[in-house]
Amino acid sequence: MTKIEKIVLSYSGGLDTSIILKWLQETYGCEVVTFTADLGQGEELEPARAKAEMAGVKDIRIADLREEFVSDFVFPMLRANALYEGQYLLGSSIARPLIAKHLVGIAREVGADAVAHGATGKGNDQIRFELAVNALDPSIKVIAPWRQWNIRSRMQLLEYAEKHHIPVPSDKRGEAPFSIDANLLHTSTEGKSLENPAEVAPDHVYQRTVDPFDAPDAPEIITIGFERGDPVSVNGKAMTPAALLTEFNELGGRHSVGRLDLVENRFIGMKSRGIYETPGGTILLAAHRGIESITLDRAAAHLKDEIMPRYAELIYNGFWFAPEREMLQALIDHSQAFVSGEVTLRLYKGSASVISRASPCSLYSADLVTFEESAIAFDHHDAEGFIRLNGLRLRSWAARNGR
Ligand code: ARG
């Protein structure tokens, strides 16, 4: 095994990463620095500090990354209307490059030669962490204990904890829990009964959205302000990016917006089934498309839609810090110069529907489209020629086919 001098571990304070911390200290016999980030997962961070202290960690890093997460990762992605396989809002995918960026930053600061993460060998997250580290600092090694140690089952994991006096909370003693990943953008739940895609997900997997049957009978109307493609206010009140997303999560959760039961194709090769809850993201996607509908030129909008699946796949596959993602981002960001204005939506029993939109930069012309008499010069004879020429090749083709 290669000699490692110092490791920065992505540490949640949960059972798995506590075991990983111990295993790293034992296996490499070197200093481990822990890094715990608040991405809006809704968990206290101080318990992680206490646990790291108990494990003898001298350098404990804790950071609130919520604003950076939303303004530098979630909002740029939303500008693209990114969806993986047509449906997934990429809530886990977009968080990994941010965590990797901070792991690398701390590693450089403290002179560590490796970073470590608790992602398993079958998932996408290991790829996302490691490709990001590769792209940010090729001199830093990555340690993935789940791929290296001999622990192969939940039982063995608990045994290791007992043996090393790592406290196992009572709810973690029985069968394996769901695998949950949460942040300000989403909650993702996988594993257990969800592994059978033919089985309906039990109600208790949902954590941040109410059941549509229990949602209020009265719809709620909200107005979102956009500037250059990014949301900046709700109901006329300006807020920071993280505060806005928090607010939309609250609103969406109450009205059951943003639930998704999906079978997706993992980059590593297998299909997996997961339950996603992305209340705020779902509202913002609808609203962003609403404001784009009046502010983007047709060809610009269609080009964005063409590259979107490619862009989403890059993020899903872990290529956030790759040159081609940055190139596409430049194109997307350029398109947003006039994507400003206000969109009003109705939240009602699981849906977030755009009901009106307005912009000082609107390309929409009621005068041009109206069925009534219009002041704008539009020669109806032009349409005749337009259709005649577009139909030219269709007439030749149909005649040849003998229709
Ligand atoms: N399958 C999703 C993705 O790759 C979520 C992964 C993390 N979620 C989890 N419950 N462990 O983006």
Side-chain angles (χ1 to χ4, degrees):
M1 191 155 46
T2 44
K3 179 97 186 79
I4 300 284
E5 305 293 338
K6 204 191 256 196
I7 305 167
V8 184
L9 167 66
S10 176
Y11 180 72
S12 70
L15 180 60
D16 289 27
T17 47
S18 295
I19 292 170
I20 286 172
L21 172 56
K22 184 79 208 167
W23 183 86
L24 290 172
Q25 290 167 329
E26 281 218 322
T27 307
Y28 293 92
C30 70
E31 185 185 347
V32 179
V33 176
T34 57
F35 173 59
T36 307
D38 186 356
L39 294 182
Q41 61 270 41
E43 260 166 34
E44 292 289 331
L45 302 189
E46 285 312 310
R49 181 194 303 281
K51 285 181 191 166
E53 267 168 11
M54 278 222 313
V57 176
K58 303 243 153 38
D59 195 347
I60 299 170
R61 305 294 176 112
I62 295 181
D64 181 351
L65 303 184
R66 286 174 297 175
E67 289 297 346
E68 184 183 7
F69 178 49
V70 181
S71 65
D72 295 357
F73 292 78
V74 176
F75 281 3
M77 180 170 79
L78 274 168
R79 284 174 214 146
N81 303 317
L83 288 175
Y84 179 66
E85 296 187 337
Q87 292 183 277
Y88 171 38
L89 278 144
L90 296 160
S92 293
S93 328
I94 193 63
R96 302 300 170 242
L98 170 61
I99 297 168
K101 178 186 160 194
H102 283 267
L103 288 174
V104 167
I106 294 167
R108 286 177 159 171
E109 187 190 324
V110 303
D113 48 349
V115 298
H117 64 74
T120 64
K122 284 189 175 179
N124 293 313
D125 288 329
Q126 52 176 346
I127 309 175
R128 298 168 183 148
F129 275 124
E130 295 177 39
L131 291 183
V133 173
N134 286 176
L136 294 172
D137 190 336
S139 74
I140 294 179
K141 298 181 198 70
V142 183
I143 302 172
W146 275 108
R147 300 198 303 252
Q148 286 172 232
W149 63 24
N150 301 320
I151 300 172
R152 283 287 168 270
S153 70
R154 187 92 205 145
M155 271 305 282
Q156 289 171 7
L157 191 74
L158 296 181
E159 271 165 33
Y160 186 94
E162 301 276 281
K163 205 171 123 212
H164 292 89
H165 312 291
I166 297 166
V168 179
S170 53
D171 63 321
K172 296 277 163 75
R173 280 178 200 278
E175 57 162 336
F178 284 115
S179 166
I180 296 172
D181 180 51
N183 59 46
L184 253 191
L185 185 53
H186 85 173
T187 299
S188 145
T189 311
E190 296 176 355
K192 287 177 62 164
S193 70
L194 299 176
E195 287 179 357
N196 179 359
E199 200 170 306
V200 177
D203 287 340
H204 64 266
V205 304
Y206 295 99
Q207 310 203 340
R208 58 206 277 180
T209 54
V210 303
D211 191 291
F213 289 105
D214 301 328
D217 289 326
E220 188 157 352
I221 309 295
I222 60 167
T223 296
I224 304 178
F226 281 89
E227 255 165 50
R228 302 174 67 86
D230 290 340
V232 292
S233 66
V234 56
N235 297 329
K237 191 165 168 242
M239 289 191 203
T240 64
L244 276 173
L245 187 50
T246 304
E247 176 71 13
F248 295 131
N249 282 333
E250 169 68 32
L251 288 161
R254 202 184 313 152
H255 290 277
S256 192
V257 172
R259 287 185 171 195
L260 173 65
D261 181 332
L262 182 73
V263 175
E264 75 202 44
N265 292 290
R266 286 191 190 159
F267 191 25
I268 200 91
M270 67 282 267
K271 290 186 188 292
S272 75
R273 191 271 195 100
I275 299 293
Y276 297 104
E277 294 170 274
T278 319
T282 302
I283 292 173
L284 285 173
L285 176 63
H288 185 253
R289 280 207 171 269
I291 192 66
E292 281 194 336
S293 71
I294 54 170
T295 53
L296 281 190
D297 163 68
R298 176 182 65 186
H302 291 189
L303 179 61
K304 278 192 79 225
D305 278 346
E306 272 177 51
I307 63 154
M308 184 279 277
R310 183 80 190 276
Y311 173 89
E313 186 173 56
L314 287 174
I315 295 174
Y316 187 85
N317 290 352
F319 291 94
W320 176 263
F321 291 114
E324 68 277 27
R325 199 284 304 175
E326 288 173 358
M327 290 165 68
L328 292 178
Q329 192 71 55
L331 183 155
I332 292 156
D333 292 352
H334 183 81
S335 75
Q336 302 293 292
F338 295 98
V339 182
S340 304
E342 286 194 335
V343 179
T344 298
L345 298 99
R346 182 178 51 226
L347 311 179
Y348 181 64
K349 293 193 188 290
S351 70
S353 321
V354 173
I355 55 172
S356 72
R357 61 305 264 158
S359 168
C361 323
S362 181
L363 294 168
Y364 187 92
S365 167
D367 244 1
L368 193 53
V369 76
T370 183
F371 289 103
E372 312 297 325
E373 198 68 44
S374 153
I376 291 192
F378 181 89
D379 189 338
H380 289 257
H381 297 294
D382 288 347
E384 210 174 303
F386 178 76
I387 297 163
R388 189 163 42 239
L389 290 180
N390 272 287
L392 179 58
R393 49 173 269 271
L394 297 180
R395 291 192 297 276
S396 309
W397 173 76
R400 190 278 317 269
N401 294 351
R403 290 195 202 170

